[in-house]
Amino acid sequence: MAEATTQETLNPFAIAQAQLDKAAEILHLEPAVHALLREPIRELHVTLPVKMDDGTTKVFKGFRVQYNDARGPTKGGIRFHPDETIDTVRALAAWMTWKTAVVDIPLGGAKGGVICNPKEMSPAELERLSRAYIRQVGRIIGLEKDVPAPDVYTNPQIMAWMADEYAFLKGYNEFGVITGKPLALGGSKGRNDATARGGMYVIREAAKVLGIETSGATMAIQGFGNAGQYAATLGRELLGTVIVAVSDSKGGIYKADGLDPDAVIRHKQETGSVVGFPGAEPISNAELLELEVDILVPAALENVITAANAPNIKARISAELANGPTTPEADEILWKNGVYVLPDFLCNAGGVTVSYFEMVQNAYDYYWDLETVHERLDRKMTAAFHAVHEAAQRFDIDNRTAAYVVAVDRVAEAVRLRGWV
Ligand code: GLU
């Protein structure tokens, strides 16, 4: 997370509420609907004793926040991160609610988190922590209730352990309880790169309305986990972009005439970081954000673009694959400066969209080929982009507020139809 250099709040939940407030005003939302949508419907705090490899027992704190289920069962990933707080999980659960609504899939929003440092844990410790989490949270999840998935520092193997633990709780297999599973355990083709792929489809549509030629356009990517790595390979494959800079938590690299994404991924697999990649110049995470590029892709954590550095952002498009990378004050600066922001819960909605496809396939026990997944994902992302673009034009507002207007309107309609207010 970036350090606070101004007085603006960096509490992600306060930010999520402020973003909602803006849309509520434009939509003239009834006070009761607005009040309901400002808070999670329910949340569970859990304490998890886990046996460590050295024989000691460590006690971890975890959360599951089910933000709103008016449109269907709640959905959202689980993060394993040392800086996790209940407020980050609340914000991420709110963003999941808007995310599922903006791509118009019949799900609500949720998020889970465990305060831990997975980089310091062995695979066996991570397995015991994952199972302990499900033993507690298992009572409130289920394919008709709430469906977790991978997020920061969780992956298909962790989903497999969790699905297995849940199967023991129930006494039978229920693959649809969790998504992002390995293919051998009911995973969907195309889930691995879905977040980045969905983002590329949205960039493609944005470039069309902006009159930008993506072939040969320069791209800088902050964060080199699942979303960042696939953004690099798919940026080249689907859009023809030139990846000039990438970074991870240890630092970044820059090469004016373009990096080979596959070689950088291999380097990271071998050394643990992109840093030190042969033939590239070192660059800091902060410098990467301020590069003069066509497309900037924040793909790491929240609050990296703040009032302090927003005036220096020179990209034409900021495509947010991370959740919550931009603060509200930064948003206003980017809007004034003409940086075209593709907001997180639109731009990174490809992951949950293919998660939804995975749930559908699990329910039918019949699996789609990769082309079908890609084609259906493309249709969802393209429709979502144009709904947001039209709202932005109609109300003369920035894309984030427009995405809120589209999503909140849909959730509010479901709330009213249910007779909740
Ligand atoms: N964790 C991803 C997100 O933030 C995916 C969630 C899901 O697939 O349920 O969108």
Side-chain angles (χ1 to χ4, degrees):
M1 253 182 261
E3 272 174 42
T5 47
T6 68
Q7 292 306 304
E8 67 178 333
T9 180
L10 295 185
N11 177 327
F13 189 47
I15 289 174
Q17 288 181 317
Q19 292 166 337
L20 168 70
D21 294 345
K22 229 166 140 180
E25 207 180 311
I26 294 166
L27 286 167
H28 305 294
L29 216 58
E30 311 92 292
V33 178
H34 185 189
L36 180 65
L37 298 185
R38 286 188 105 243
E39 301 291 338
I41 291 257
R42 66 185 82 84
E43 54 188 45
L44 183 64
H45 296 224
V46 294
T47 305
L48 310 170
V50 176
K51 294 225 162 46
M52 307 303 279
D53 293 345
D54 65 5
T56 61
T57 296
K58 220 169 147 178
V59 178
F60 294 89
K61 298 288 295 176
F63 315 101
R64 184 74 186 169
V65 174
Q66 298 174 342
Y67 197 84
N68 190 286
D69 53 8
R71 286 173 46 88
T74 52
K75 184 86 192 77
I78 299 167
R79 304 206 307 184
F80 283 179
H81 201 277
D83 296 334
E84 201 64 279
T85 68
I86 184 61
D87 273 345
T88 51
V89 182
R90 285 178 181 138
L92 290 156
W95 290 326
M96 284 309 305
T97 306
W98 317 133
K99 195 180 299 191
T100 52
V102 87
V103 282
D104 204 9
I105 54 180
L107 297 169
K111 204 79 175 197
V114 178
I115 307 169
C116 66
N117 190 349
K119 289 184 182 168
E120 290 172 358
M121 295 172 70
S122 71
E125 289 169 343
L126 278 174
E127 175 176 351
R128 289 193 289 270
L129 175 66
S130 304
R131 291 185 184 277
Y133 182 75
I134 291 302
R135 281 199 297 277
Q136 287 309 316
V137 172
R139 64 201 71 198
I140 64 160
I141 64 172
L143 95 134
E144 310 280 2
K145 294 200 276 190
D146 178 18
V147 180
D151 203 283
V152 172
Y153 296 141
T154 54
N155 57 30
Q157 174 62 77
I158 289 176
M159 298 306 111
W161 290 325
M162 289 183 169
D164 182 66
E165 191 65 29
Y166 190 76
F168 278 112
L169 282 180
K170 300 295 270 192
Y172 56 87
N173 255 338
E174 189 180 289
F175 281 150
V177 68
I178 202 157
T179 59
K181 301 178 295 292
L183 288 179
L185 293 180
S188 173
K189 290 207 168 100
R191 177 63 185 84
N192 262 353
D193 71 9
T195 303
R197 180 176 292 271
M200 297 307 122
Y201 293 151
V202 170
I203 295 172
R204 180 196 66 205
E205 293 306 304
K208 276 188 213 158
V209 303
L210 294 171
I212 294 176
E213 175 60 69
T214 61
S215 175
T218 51
M219 183 183 265
I221 303 169
Q222 193 217 23
F224 215 55
N226 172 289
Q229 290 184 21
Y230 280 119
T233 52
L234 293 175
R236 183 178 60 176
E237 183 189 320
L238 300 177
L239 305 175
T241 56
V242 179
I243 317 300
V244 292
V246 301
S247 66
D248 58 31
S249 59
K250 301 203 174 88
I253 51 173
Y254 173 79
K255 194 160 183 276
D257 61 355
L259 296 155
D260 172 5
D262 299 314
V264 179
I265 290 169
R266 273 197 304 277
H267 180 79
K268 184 169 166 97
Q269 275 161 0
E270 282 158 18
T271 67
S273 173
V274 299
V275 173
F277 180 72
E281 293 167 39
I283 186 174
S284 71
N285 265 287
E287 287 165 337
L288 179 143
L289 294 171
E290 298 177 11
L291 284 173
E292 198 159 335
V293 287
D294 296 308
I295 304 161
L296 173 66
V297 183
L301 291 172
E302 54 275 11
N303 293 335
V304 295
I305 302 176
T306 65
N309 62 353
N312 307 329
I313 305 283
K314 299 170 199 78
R316 299 171 77 185
I317 296 176
S318 176
E320 300 180 343
L321 287 185
N323 288 309
T326 310
T327 64
E329 279 187 41
D331 260 331
E332 275 177 34
I333 297 166
L334 297 180
W335 170 241
K336 270 196 213 108
N337 289 351
V339 178
Y340 192 85
V341 174
L342 291 169
D344 50 6
F345 70 78
L346 166 67
C347 192
N348 71 27
V352 75
T353 300
V354 177
S355 275
Y356 163 62
F357 296 163
E358 185 173 330
M359 289 170 67
V360 172
Q361 294 169 80
N362 291 152
Y364 276 117
D365 235 333
Y366 179 74
Y367 290 82
W368 308 350
D369 57 32
L370 189 59
E371 291 69 33
T372 304
V373 171
H374 289 170
E375 185 213 313
R376 291 179 178 173
L377 174 63
D378 194 347
R379 245 187 283 154
K380 277 284 179 203
M381 299 306 296
T382 300
F385 170 80
H386 288 286
V388 170
H389 180 65
E390 273 159 33
Q393 305 255 291
R394 185 164 73 243
F395 296 106
D396 191 23
I397 49 179
D398 62 277
N399 286 335
R400 187 177 326 277
T401 311
Y404 267 93
V405 164
V406 172
V408 171
D409 199 29
R410 289 176 181 166
V411 178
E413 186 191 3
V415 164
R416 284 186 211 105
L417 285 169
R418 280 177 184 269
W420 287 357
V421 290

